[in-house]
Amino acid sequence: MKNTKKRRMIKAGLLFLVLILMGGVPNAHAFLGFGNSVRWQEEVLLHDGSKIVADRSVQRGGRHEIGQKTPYKQQSLEFIMPNSKQKVVWEDDFSKELGMANFLPMLLDIYNNAAYLVVYPVGCLSYNKWGRPNPPYVVFEFEGSAWRRIPLEKLPVEIKKPNLIFSSPDLAVEKAKTRFMSVEMIQTILSAYKQPQYQTILREPIPEGGQEGCGKTNYYKNAGWLGIDWFTNQPTYEACIKFCNFKKILPQDCPCETIFKGKNNAFYN
C-alpha cells in the first residue's frame, strides 16, 4: 500500500514538472523560486487623482558580479488608456552595448489623451548612451500608435510625482508577497527614496551633474565604451590616430582632431 502511494506521488511530481516545462503552470518560475522572470500589477495614481492599473514584467539575465542579482534583460509595461480603451505596451529590450536593458520606469501618467512615461537610465553606460540628460530622465510620449522620445520641457508641468516602483521592483514585489501593488504600497516604497530627483520630477539641471560620478564615455562599434582619457593620454596627435586605428574607430568618430587640433568632433557634440 505504501509503495503504491509512493508511486502515485512520484507520478504526480513528474506530471507537475512536465506541465512546468510546457508552460502549463502560471508563474512556474516564481513558484520554483528561480526569480528570473516576474510579472505583477501596479495601481498607478495619476496627476488628477484618478487611477489605472499597469501590468509590469521584468526578466533578469546576463553577466553579473558574484553575490549580486543578474541585471534586467528585458522588461515591459502595459495599460489601457482610460478614454479610448486602447491597449498600450512599452518595452525595454536587451541592449548589446550595455549588456542589459536600458531603463528603470519611474512615472506613468496621462494628459489630454496622451500617455507619458519617465524612465531613469540604468548605470553610467546607459546614461551616456541616452545623451547624459540633466536632470537624469528620459521621457517618452505615446500619442496615436507609437512611443517617441520627447524633451523634458514637453512633459506637462502637471505631471510631477513618480508613481511606479523603480528600484528593483521585482524584489519589492517579492518582499510584499503579492502580485498586486496598491497605490498605498507604492507610495510607502517611494517615500524611502530620499534623493530629490526621485521624489519629484526636477525641471532644472542638477549642479553636480545628471548622474554623479558618471564620466563621459562614447560607444564605438568595434572598440566598445571608451572615455576621453584613452585619447587625451596619448602623447601626440599621431599616437592618438594610431590608437584609433588600432581600435578600428572610424575617422569621423575619432576625437583626435578635436583634442590636438581643436577641430569639431562628434565626441563632444
Side-chain angles (χ1 to χ4, degrees):
M1 185 71 178
K2 290 183 178 179
N3 289 336
T4 301
K5 185 176 180 181
K6 185 176 181 180
R7 285 196 295 269
R8 287 177 179 173
M9 291 177 65
I10 293 174
K11 288 181 178 179
L14 290 173
L15 177 61
F16 183 71
L17 181 59
V18 169
L19 287 172
I20 289 175
L21 295 175
M22 295 177 63
V25 178
N27 298 321
H29 291 297
F31 180 86
L32 291 176
F34 292 166
N36 289 335
S37 181
V38 180
R39 296 187 64 89
W40 72 96
Q41 292 183 317
E42 292 188 25
E43 188 179 34
V44 182
L45 180 64
L46 305 183
H47 73 278
D48 60 2
S50 62
K51 302 175 184 178
I52 61 173
V53 174
D55 291 283
R56 296 187 62 181
S57 72
V58 297
Q59 180 181 353
R60 290 182 181 265
R63 297 179 179 178
H64 63 289
E65 297 293 333
I66 296 176
Q68 294 183 353
K69 295 284 288 184
T70 53
Y72 292 138
K73 181 179 179 180
Q74 191 277 339
Q75 59 183 323
S76 67
L77 185 150
E78 304 176 13
F79 60 96
I80 302 296
M81 294 289 286
N83 293 334
S84 66
K85 304 305 177 184
Q86 178 183 7
K87 180 181 178 179
V88 179
V89 180
W90 175 84
E91 294 180 319
D92 180 17
D93 293 321
F94 179 83
S95 172
K96 183 178 180 180
E97 64 266 40
L98 302 180
M100 59 182 182
N102 294 266
F103 303 115
L104 294 174
M106 59 188 305
L107 185 153
L108 172 65
D109 216 317
I110 297 171
Y111 185 88
N112 284 348
N113 297 318
Y116 295 89
L117 184 67
V118 180
V119 298
Y120 195 88
V122 182
C124 290
L125 296 185
S126 179
Y127 179 62
N128 277 284
K129 174 184 175 180
W130 291 91
R132 301 177 60 83
N134 187 7
Y137 314 120
V138 176
V139 184
F140 294 102
E141 178 188 46
F142 185 93
E143 188 173 15
S145 60
W147 291 99
R148 65 186 182 95
R149 185 181 181 182
I150 62 171
L152 178 61
E153 293 76 19
K154 290 191 175 182
L155 180 71
V157 294
E158 291 83 357
I159 298 177
K160 306 175 182 178
K161 302 290 290 184
N163 54 13
L164 298 172
I165 306 171
F166 66 94
S167 178
S168 300
D170 55 337
L171 300 185
V173 171
E174 180 182 345
K175 183 177 180 181
K177 297 181 179 179
T178 177
R179 298 289 170 167
F180 182 82
M181 304 296 289
S182 67
V183 167
E184 292 74 22
M185 297 171 71
I186 294 171
Q187 289 181 336
T188 298
I189 293 172
L190 296 182
S191 66
Y193 303 158
K194 300 304 181 182
Q195 293 91 330
Q197 63 268 34
Y198 301 155
Q199 295 177 345
T200 188
I201 300 301
L202 303 179
R203 301 287 177 154
E204 298 295 329
I206 301 173
E208 61 270 21
Q211 283 199 24
E212 190 174 357
C214 285
K216 183 166 185 178
T217 59
N218 260 20
Y219 180 78
Y220 301 94
K221 182 178 179 180
N222 298 311
W225 292 95
L226 294 174
I228 189 62
D229 57 314
W230 284 93
F231 306 93
T232 57
N233 287 342
Q234 301 301 322
T236 64
Y237 170 75
E238 289 73 20
C240 186
I241 292 295
K242 186 176 180 179
F243 176 77
C244 283
N245 292 335
F246 174 74
K247 290 292 186 178
K248 299 181 180 179
I249 298 173
L250 297 176
Q252 62 267 30
D253 296 327
C254 179
C256 298
E257 292 286 337
T258 298
I259 297 169
F260 290 92
K261 297 187 178 182
K263 296 181 180 180
N264 194 19
N265 187 274
F267 190 97
Y268 294 94
N269 293 340

